[in-house]
Structure formats: structure tokens, C-alpha cells
Amino acid sequence: RAETRRVGRSRVCGRCWRSVRYLSSPPCGRVRASQATEAEAEAVEESEGFDFSRSQGRSFLPLAKVVDQEAIKTALLLGAVDTEVGGVAISGRRGTCKSVMARGLHDLIPPIEVVEGSWTNADPSKPEEWEEDLVERVEAEGGVSAVKTSVRKAPFIQVPLGITEDRLVGTVDMEKSIETGKTVFQPGLLAEAHRGILYVDEINLLDEGIANLLLSVLSDGVNVVEREGISISHPCRPLLIATYNPEEGPIRQHLLDRIAMTLSSDVPLTLEDRVDVVEIATRFADFSADVIKETDEETEQARTQVILAREYLKEVQIGEKQVKYLVDEAVRGQVQGQRAELFAIRVAKAHCALNGRDRVEEEDLRKAVQLAIIPRATVLDNQPPQEEQPPPPPQLAI
């Protein structure tokens, strides 16, 4: 099998770094976006949500340029391998690189093939999931065998804090309905995010009803819209990435319980790291294209690793004793409910696939405990010493 490598540790950190947006730069790479353009872009994001995959010339710090956040980078890569793993939540104070890492992952998501004319990024290989009007159009044009497809960048949709339920799940397009004389559905952000990334910044400040609805739809994998005159359902399986600052308000625990991996970006930095932050932040402000180019090889390697891992994931096996080990760890941590074990199994299998294997091993189980079980544990101080803890079961016997 092809050799796989992790995203390497680069001497740059985003602790005090927020992403800086620019217009397409000429060769010198020094032209900054005007304040008017920046304000306009921010206004669109706040009012309607924003699809970063369609942005023109907006640069974001590559994920490989972030250090001292290895656990979070690993969690994001696992989410890229298995978008149904359950999502990633990142907590941290201001300027700790939360949004930078979320947006940096987008470059590692492989392009997707979609059926042309689909408003849910329909997968050509899964006609049973196509929206009803797409099925009717395809049949009228010659059937599935004649369907036209295109390859595009996976969507990256940001959910604004003030979003309404209609904008999130979809509603009736009144203008087109009046023009056509029949009910026309207007897709929401959930339809646009399917097969991509759905990003929620400051999820702790999101309306409680909207947050519950969002996580409920993502858990089911299907968005059902019931409005006067319409009843529509469509698949909705994006990777959820949520960030929040605990200093700005507490997050409801039942929301965190429904997200697979919850990690903190508040990590101590050495003097050397802080100097590197200043240096790279300054360079990225003036020469963003050069900084991005420096990580092209690492980014391409990570993207290839994700593509291969998605194939390995289809064949990954986990043994009964290994599942029992994860359950025992959840019980030892007095984790409430059973979501921890269920998420941990998917995390272990995704980690196994990311490392180019098809059988879960000890390393995968330990990583699953670290990312999915320990953050939910209510008791951590009565654990036996490391040397007394039973080791994870070995890989599944052939």
C-alpha cells in the first residue's frame, strides 16, 4: 500500500493568530483586501451564512502551519476520513487558532463528484438519496446511465449566529412559487453543506432551539422539512466543526454530549513558539501566497492520506474484546449514556484507516479513549496508575 504520512509539525502556531483575508494577489503578494470588501464579506457571513469553498482569493493559514495542537489536528483529520464520526468541538479563549484550524481542514477534504443540477450535492453512486425533482429530471433526460456529473470542491458552510430555522433547514420560495404557480422549495444551509463541512462558530451563543434542531438533523443524517404545501426530505451528512469560547458563555452539556470529540485549544506555549507565531503571522499578512506554498507538499500528502484512508475505512474491523475495552474505559470514567462508546468505536476505526490499516490496534483504542471518552469522563482522579492499567486488546485475530 502507498505510504501514508501525518501532517507534519511546522514551526508556526496560531495561538494569537486569527485568519487574515485578502483579495487575489499579484505576483508580489502584497495587495490587501480593501476595508469595504472585508466589511461586505463579513456582512454576508453574519446574515446568510457563507460558503468558503466558493470564496475568491480569500487565504487562510494552512493546517500544517499550526503547532502545539496535535490532538485537535488529529481529530480534524479523523473527521475528514469519516465525516459521520460525530463532529469535532473546539473550545478555547480568544486568539487560540480555533477558526483557523477549522478552515485549514477544508484544503484537506477531497473534491466530490456531484450530479449536475442537484441542490444537495447528490452523489452519482447513490441514486436512492437523490432529491425527488432531480430523479424526475434525470428520468426525463434518459435515466441514470445518461446522468451528467461534475467534480467540485467540497462545500464549507458557516452557520451564522442569527440564523432562522427556515434558512437552516429550507422553506418555500414564495417568489418562484408565485411565478410558476406551484410550490417551490428553497434549500437551506443543511442542504448546501451535505458531503462537506458545516462550521458553527461560537456554538454556545447559538439559539438553543436552532442548536437542538441542527444536532438532531446531523444525528439522523436526514433533514425533513414540513411546510404548508411541501413535505421534503434530503440527506444531510456533513462533518460538523463547532468552536466556542467558554469565557463568553457556558455551553449546554447536552449539546457537547452529541458531538463526538471535544477538545481545548488552550495550550501553553514556549518562548520559541511565541516568537514563531509573530514571525509567521507577519509573513502571512504580507506574503500569504508564499506561506501557503511552503506547505503545498504537506497539504497534498495529507489530502492523499485522507483519500486512501476513506478506502481503508470500508474494510476496517474491530474485535469484540476491543469494543469491551472501550466500554470498560467509559464505565471507569463514569460517563453518562452510551454515546461515548459509540463515538469511540468510530474514532478508533477512522484512526486505524488513517494509518493505512484494516484492523484496529492498541494505538487506535488509546486514541479513541483520549478523544471521545476522557472529555466526557466525570471521574478522572481515581484511575489506577498507568503501569497497573490493563493494556488494550491486541489487533483482531485472523
Side-chain angles (χ1 to χ4, degrees):
R1 289 177 174 170
E3 179 184 1
T4 58
R5 296 173 55 187
R6 298 179 184 278
V7 176
R9 174 187 172 97
S10 302
R11 298 305 306 159
V12 186
C13 175
R15 178 168 176 81
C16 299
W17 175 247
R18 304 283 296 189
S19 59
V20 184
R21 303 183 178 92
Y22 298 95
L23 292 175
S24 299
S25 303
C28 66
R30 302 181 65 96
V31 179
R32 300 191 177 189
S34 67
Q35 293 183 353
T37 303
E38 181 72 12
E40 181 180 353
E42 293 289 347
V44 172
E45 294 175 26
E46 291 298 324
S47 62
E48 299 182 2
F50 188 75
D51 184 352
F52 288 93
S53 62
R54 300 173 185 171
S55 60
Q56 298 295 324
R58 302 181 68 180
S59 301
F60 302 101
L61 196 68
L63 189 62
K65 284 294 186 182
V66 180
V67 299
D68 294 327
Q69 302 289 0
E70 300 305 318
I72 295 178
K73 290 197 290 185
T74 298
L76 292 173
L77 284 173
L78 295 180
V81 172
D82 182 6
T83 56
E84 298 180 49
V85 72
V88 181
I90 306 172
S91 68
R93 296 189 296 271
R94 294 183 298 274
T96 53
C97 204
K98 301 185 299 294
S99 61
V100 172
M101 287 187 284
R103 289 163 179 155
L105 178 67
H106 186 224
D107 283 337
L108 307 184
I109 301 293
I112 58 175
E113 184 180 14
V114 302
V115 179
E116 291 189 1
S118 170
W119 44 263
T120 62
N121 303 312
D123 188 342
S125 64
K126 298 180 179 179
E128 68 277 4
E129 296 183 353
W130 295 356
E131 56 267 32
E132 184 177 349
D133 56 343
L134 178 63
V135 173
E136 295 176 353
R137 181 173 61 80
V138 169
E139 290 179 350
E141 294 178 354
V144 177
S145 59
V147 68
K148 296 180 180 180
T149 64
S150 60
V151 176
R152 66 181 63 167
K153 196 171 181 63
F156 185 109
I157 305 296
Q158 180 170 348
V159 178
L161 290 179
I163 191 171
T164 63
E165 180 178 337
D166 286 347
R167 181 71 184 104
L168 181 67
V169 302
T171 187
V172 176
D173 189 327
M174 297 303 298
E175 182 177 350
K176 290 186 178 179
S177 296
I178 294 175
E179 291 178 357
T180 61
K182 60 180 181 180
T183 304
V184 178
F185 178 66
Q186 180 179 2
L189 293 185
L190 293 180
E192 298 178 25
H194 180 50
R195 302 177 66 198
I197 295 176
L198 186 66
Y199 175 51
V200 185
D201 192 16
E202 307 296 355
I203 192 173
N204 55 324
L205 304 181
L206 193 64
D207 177 79
E208 182 174 3
I210 294 294
N212 289 334
L213 176 61
L214 171 64
L215 293 177
S216 179
V217 171
L218 295 181
S219 297
D220 296 339
V222 178
N223 179 33
V224 180
V225 184
E226 300 284 351
R227 295 289 187 271
E228 184 176 354
I230 62 171
S231 177
I232 291 179
S233 65
H234 65 80
C236 180
R237 290 189 295 274
L239 169 64
L240 172 67
I241 302 179
T243 60
Y244 66 98
N245 181 358
E247 295 178 348
E248 297 179 354
I251 185 170
R252 294 173 288 278
Q253 288 302 312
H254 78 279
L255 295 182
L256 284 183
D257 184 57
R258 301 174 76 170
I259 300 177
M261 296 171 279
T262 303
L263 303 167
S264 174
S265 60
D266 291 326
V267 294
L269 292 179
T270 65
L271 177 61
E272 181 185 1
D273 286 336
R274 296 182 71 93
V275 172
D276 288 339
V277 171
V278 175
E279 178 185 352
I280 289 301
T282 303
R283 289 189 58 227
F284 190 72
D286 292 332
F287 303 98
S288 60
D290 292 342
V291 174
I292 293 174
K293 187 175 181 180
E294 292 172 4
T295 61
D296 280 348
E297 183 178 352
E298 287 179 278
T299 298
E300 186 58 35
Q301 290 174 347
R303 188 182 297 115
T304 301
Q305 184 180 4
V306 170
I307 294 174
L308 293 174
R310 288 185 173 185
E311 294 301 315
Y312 299 154
L313 184 63
K314 301 173 183 178
E315 302 177 359
V316 170
Q317 301 180 50
I318 185 170
E320 183 178 346
K321 290 184 178 180
Q322 294 173 323
V323 173
K324 184 179 183 298
Y325 170 78
L326 295 176
V327 173
D328 288 341
E329 290 299 301
V331 171
R332 180 154 44 191
Q334 297 186 18
V335 175
Q336 299 179 1
Q338 284 74 51
R339 284 196 177 103
E341 303 97 292
L342 297 175
F343 286 142
I345 290 173
R346 297 199 74 123
V347 170
K349 295 173 73 174
H351 189 267
C352 175
L354 187 64
N355 285 275
R357 293 181 271 104
D358 59 6
R359 296 181 185 276
V360 172
E361 298 182 355
E362 293 184 15
E363 177 189 0
D364 309 316
L365 297 177
R366 294 190 187 279
K367 184 60 67 174
V369 171
Q370 175 192 356
L371 298 178
I373 294 180
I374 290 180
R376 289 178 166 77
T378 58
V379 177
L380 293 175
D381 56 356
N382 65 347
Q383 301 288 319
Q386 181 68 30
E387 61 272 12
E388 297 181 13
Q389 294 187 26
Q395 70 179 38
L396 186 66
I398 298 178

